[in-house]
């Protein structure tokens, strides 16, 4: 297509040299010079290829996503079927779907790794503050892709994980209701939600993502790749906000590039190798682990326990650590803090030190963040409840299961179930045979309503929320003796307070409990 490509050394004379047809029109040589022949700092590390890794995963998502979208039907009646169709009838359909799923996970991995690399090398500092912001935007869009994409198969996991996700959004003060409604396209999770999530997943997010990615890459090319940290620490002014810093940076950065190392052909090999490794990893995971498809979504099956995608696990687990009354504060506060911290980072942190080891504050912050997330994921993995509860021998509903987890945390210290627990209180292995959920709820909320001298503390709000007490009560109601040795229920509930004072619980009973009791009314 081009007969004469002017050699690069003739740069200044290009216009006078005969150029190819295409080149005359779109300046192929110019493009090549900016993208490939650009000089880069020498001694770049493998860590510098993590951005390419994330982009490779993204390209895999684009290609596999385009094919999947060709077959997908975004309605509750047909979504699941259309996925089954892809798996059964489309060539390599199973592989395609599994690659899309693993590509998504690996993309999150590499975006996070790339961000950690940029953070650790101080590459978000002058002059790359804006590009850090674009990167943060891309990170949140990736999470958006994950959240919207997980609903699309319309299987049990998809439905219930989205149910949890949207209800967490719904706990936001003031705007929560509107936000949940906006996400779901109505008050229920249904056809409107699926249409909406699909539109986000294949239109809104890709358009936004492509725009930000373009800006991100344009800046990488314009500003050049951030060099190794030592290059920019030698004799640097203390702060990047120092008026002489830009001049210092210009000289130091130029010096790091004046070694004649070019993107092509000197360092591109590293990026190509990384990209191949990523593609191979996606392929191997897709073939060996695959992508499960659970039974179709059943909105009436509340016994299903949703597990969020791994990258939402730390957040999900964090929410579980706090009592219900604080949930909305955490649900909103933590993401908000994260956004502020990430967006504000290049503006709060104006020190000129770049190497993480020379920035104790940053090192501590990163360790706390990563260590904390690892602990939370560990706890989440440990918290996974068996599908069949050993003490009842049957599958528990999700409320009962939540109650079981709460019981193990709050009550096992004093009560024995399945030969485990403390002996300060009575064993509860048969409690469900003697009391109804309503009685149990009332008792747990305020034991002194029933036993004026109870040694068991009241678990009413703020210790446990109304919903949590209900969950614990429902769990206890399932306990009727060990599996196989169940006893026939003989309920003997009495509600002293309710009968005596028509709901003015315990207010007149005894002074000692009156103070803890007054704010709490029985709810039945
Ligand atoms: C500090 C120890 C302690 C803790 C913690 C504790 N309890 Fe109790 N619980 C007792 C004692 C002691 C009794 C005996 C009755 C009384 O003193 O009122 C009791 C009684 C009960 C009873 C009534 C049993 C019956 O047959 O009448 C139930 C139900 C119960 N506890 C449930 C719970 C639940 C649920 C939790 C956790 C949310 C819990 N307990 C936490 C000490 C405790």
């Amino acid at each position: 297509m081009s007969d004469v490509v002017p050699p690069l050394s003739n740069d200044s004379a290009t216009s006078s040299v005969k150029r190819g047809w295409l080149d005359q029109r779109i300046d192929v040589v110019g493009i090549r010079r900016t993208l490939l022949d650009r000089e880069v700092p020498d001694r770049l590390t493998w860590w510098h290829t993590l951005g390419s890794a994330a982009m490779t995963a993204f390209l895999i998502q684009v290609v596999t996503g385009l094919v999947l979208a060709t077959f997908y039907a975004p309605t509750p009646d047909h979504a699941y079927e259309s996925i089954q169709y892809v798996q059964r009838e489309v060539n390599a359909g199973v592989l395609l779907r599994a690659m899309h799923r693993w590509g998504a996970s690996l993309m999150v991995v590499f975006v996070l790794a790339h961000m950690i690399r940029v953070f650790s090398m101080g590459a978000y500092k002058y002059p790359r503050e804006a590009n850090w912001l674009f990167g943060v935007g891309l990170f949140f869009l990736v999470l958006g892709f994950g959240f919207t994409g997980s609903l699309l198969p319309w299987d049990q996991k998809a439905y219930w994980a989205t149910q949890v996700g949207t209800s967490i959004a719904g706990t936001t003060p003031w705007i929560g209701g509107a936000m949940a409604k906006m996400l779901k396209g109505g008050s229920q999770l249904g056809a409107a939600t699926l249409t909406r999530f699909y539109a986000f997943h294949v239109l809104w997010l890709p358009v936004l993502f492509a725009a930000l990615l373009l800006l991100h890459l344009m800046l990488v090319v314009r500003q050049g790749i951030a060099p190794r940290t030592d290059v920019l620490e030698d004799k640097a002014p203390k702060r990047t906000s120092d008026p002489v810093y830009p001049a210092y940076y210009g000289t130091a950065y130029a010096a790091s590039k004046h070694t004649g190392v070019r993107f092509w052909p000197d360092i591109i090999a590293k990026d190509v190798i990384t990209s191949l490794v990523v593609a191979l990893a996606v392929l191997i995971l897709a073939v060996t682990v695959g992508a499960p498809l659970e039974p179709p979504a059943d909105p009436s099956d509340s016994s299903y326990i949703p597990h969020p995608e791994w990258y939402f696990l730390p957040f999900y687990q964090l929410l579980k650590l706090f009592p219900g009354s604080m949930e909305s504060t955490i649900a909103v506060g933590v993401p908000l803090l994260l956004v502020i911290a990430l967006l504000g980072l290049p503006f709060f942190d104006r020190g000129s030190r770049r190497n993480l080891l020379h920035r104790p504050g940053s090192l501590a912050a990163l360790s706390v963040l990563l260590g904390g997330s690892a602990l939370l994921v560990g706890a989440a993995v440990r918290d996974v409840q068996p599908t069949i509860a050993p003490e009842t021998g049957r599958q528990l509903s999700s409320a009962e299961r939540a109650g079981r987890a709460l019981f193990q945390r709050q009550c096992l210290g004093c009560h024995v179930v399945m030969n485990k627990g403390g002996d300060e209180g009575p064993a509860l292995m048969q409690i469900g045979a003697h009391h109804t959920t309503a009685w149990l709820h009332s008792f747990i909320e305020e034991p002194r309503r029933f036993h004026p001298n109870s040694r068991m503390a009241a678990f009413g709000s703020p210790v446990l929320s109304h919903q949590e007490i209900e969950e614990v009560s429902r769990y206890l109601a399932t306990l009727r003796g060990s599996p196989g040795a169940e006893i026939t229920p003989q309920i003997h509930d009495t509600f002293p307070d309710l009968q005596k004072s028509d709901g003015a619980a315990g207010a007149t009973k005894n002074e000692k409990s009156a103070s803890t009791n007054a704010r709490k009314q029985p709810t039945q």
Side-chain angles (χ1 to χ4, degrees):
M1 67 187 161
S2 56
D3 340 306
V4 183
V5 176
L8 207 67
S9 48
N10 277 8
D11 278 3
S12 51
T14 1
S15 51
S16 62
V17 177
K18 184 169 175 285
R19 303 169 75 180
W21 185 90
L22 196 60
D23 192 25
Q24 274 180 344
R25 283 157 185 84
I26 61 170
D27 190 21
V28 180
V29 174
I31 293 174
R32 199 188 80 188
R33 196 180 316 135
T34 347
L35 292 187
L36 295 181
D37 299 331
R38 63 193 153 107
E39 284 184 327
V40 295
D42 67 339
R43 298 179 301 138
L44 289 178
T45 63
W46 282 99
W47 302 117
H48 281 87
T49 64
L50 286 168
S52 301
M55 204 164 81
T56 306
F58 175 65
L59 292 178
I60 293 175
Q61 292 311 87
V62 172
V63 174
T64 51
L66 283 173
V67 184
L68 287 172
T70 315
F71 296 97
Y72 180 72
T75 68
D77 289 343
H78 299 294
Y80 188 78
E81 259 171 52
S82 69
I83 302 278
Q84 280 185 317
Y85 178 84
V86 168
Q87 308 236 75
R88 293 206 189 116
E89 309 288 335
V90 177
N91 280 332
V94 174
L95 179 70
L96 206 68
R97 200 182 142 240
M99 282 183 72
H100 198 66
R101 194 165 193 126
W102 282 105
S105 264
L106 287 197
M107 187 162 167
V108 177
V109 170
F110 289 119
V111 167
L112 282 175
H114 177 55
M115 287 174 89
I116 292 172
R117 190 290 276 177
V118 168
F119 180 78
S120 307
M121 293 192 181
Y124 57 90
K125 299 187 181 210
Y126 178 90
R128 296 184 179 76
E129 296 95 329
N131 219 14
W132 169 262
L133 298 188
F134 293 146
V136 171
L138 286 166
F139 169 64
F140 284 110
L141 290 179
V142 169
L143 294 183
F145 272 113
F147 183 62
T148 52
S150 64
L151 179 66
L152 304 184
W154 203 253
D155 60 358
Q156 284 282 71
K157 180 183 165 85
Y159 184 89
W160 291 104
T162 306
Q163 192 69 273
V164 171
T166 49
S167 67
I168 288 176
T171 61
T172 315
W174 305 302
I175 55 166
M179 225 160 78
K181 212 163 172 178
M182 197 274 282
L183 280 172
K184 291 195 245 185
S187 51
Q188 295 292 317
L189 212 168
T193 323
L194 191 52
T195 305
R196 203 155 275 215
F197 273 44
Y198 188 56
F200 284 137
H201 194 75
V202 305
L203 292 171
W204 289 88
L205 291 173
V207 167
L208 289 173
F209 193 89
L212 267 189
L213 184 61
L214 203 68
L215 286 170
H216 195 65
L217 294 178
M218 247 166 56
L219 276 184
V220 170
V221 172
R222 267 196 85 80
Q223 299 183 319
I225 297 171
R228 297 169 72 108
T229 51
D230 49 351
V231 173
L232 294 173
E233 287 195 346
D234 199 24
K235 301 196 192 78
K238 259 191 134 45
R239 309 190 61 73
T240 56
S241 48
D242 191 316
V244 304
Y245 192 84
Y248 161 81
Y249 175 88
T251 322
Y253 187 58
S256 83
K257 291 208 308 182
H258 280 170
T259 46
V261 180
R262 288 171 192 276
F263 183 67
W264 172 280
D266 299 316
I267 66 156
I268 195 166
K270 269 193 175 139
D271 288 275
V272 171
I273 292 172
T274 304
S275 300
L276 287 177
V277 169
V278 172
L280 203 66
V282 171
L283 198 66
I284 290 175
L285 286 166
V287 170
T288 54
V289 189
L293 186 62
E294 299 193 353
D298 176 2
S300 65
D301 175 11
S302 59
S303 71
Y304 185 86
I305 324 119
H307 296 296
E309 289 297 330
W310 63 267
Y311 38 90
F312 292 123
L313 261 188
F315 178 56
Y316 187 78
Q317 188 65 20
L318 191 69
L319 285 178
K320 284 210 229 161
L321 290 183
F322 289 88
S325 52
M326 283 182 68
E327 191 175 310
S328 70
T329 318
I330 303 294
V332 182
V334 170
L336 199 67
L337 272 181
L338 189 70
V339 172
I340 293 174
L342 286 175
L343 292 182
L345 175 66
F347 307 103
F348 302 142
D349 175 12
R350 299 239 182 224
S352 69
R353 297 307 227 152
R354 300 210 175 218
N355 187 334
L356 187 63
L357 300 177
H358 303 160
R359 293 152 47 209
S362 302
L363 181 60
L366 184 65
S367 315
V368 167
L369 198 67
L370 292 183
S373 304
L375 283 179
L376 286 170
V377 170
V381 171
R382 249 188 301 113
D383 253 21
V384 170
Q385 301 280 323
T387 10
I388 306 287
E391 61 271 34
T392 59
R394 66 177 187 86
Q395 189 143 12
L396 301 181
S397 75
S398 60
E400 290 160 358
R401 209 170 287 277
R404 183 176 191 265
L406 276 167
F407 182 86
Q408 290 176 346
R409 217 171 301 141
Q410 302 269 7
C411 325
L412 210 58
C414 295
H415 291 288
V416 171
V417 165
M418 287 288 275
N419 308 321
K420 248 178 69 185
D423 56 6
E424 185 152 345
L428 296 180
M429 207 34 211
Q430 302 181 346
I431 191 81
H434 303 301
H435 294 290
T436 59
T437 309
W439 185 92
L440 289 164
H441 188 120
S442 193
F443 182 89
I444 297 164
E445 197 166 53
E446 177 50 281
R448 289 192 186 121
R449 256 177 223 155
F450 301 86
H451 309 161
N453 302 317
S454 178
R455 278 170 295 126
M456 175 167 146
F459 280 87
S461 155
V463 184
L464 295 179
S465 68
H466 178 80
Q467 192 195 333
E468 286 168 326
I469 296 180
E470 184 62 22
E471 288 165 348
V472 174
S473 311
R474 288 201 198 173
Y475 164 66
L476 290 185
T478 67
L479 300 176
R480 313 218 167 126
S482 335
E486 285 191 27
I487 59 169
T488 333
Q490 275 188 312
I491 305 291
H492 44 76
D493 288 349
T494 48
F495 290 90
D497 283 5
L498 291 182
Q499 283 153 5
K500 255 194 244 160
S501 55
D502 194 31
T508 53
K509 275 194 103 177
N510 66 34
E511 286 88 87
K512 215 171 105 213
S513 67
S515 57
T516 53
N517 228 355
R519 58 203 151 76
K520 207 59 219 172
Q521 304 288 312
T523 35
Q524 281 76 34

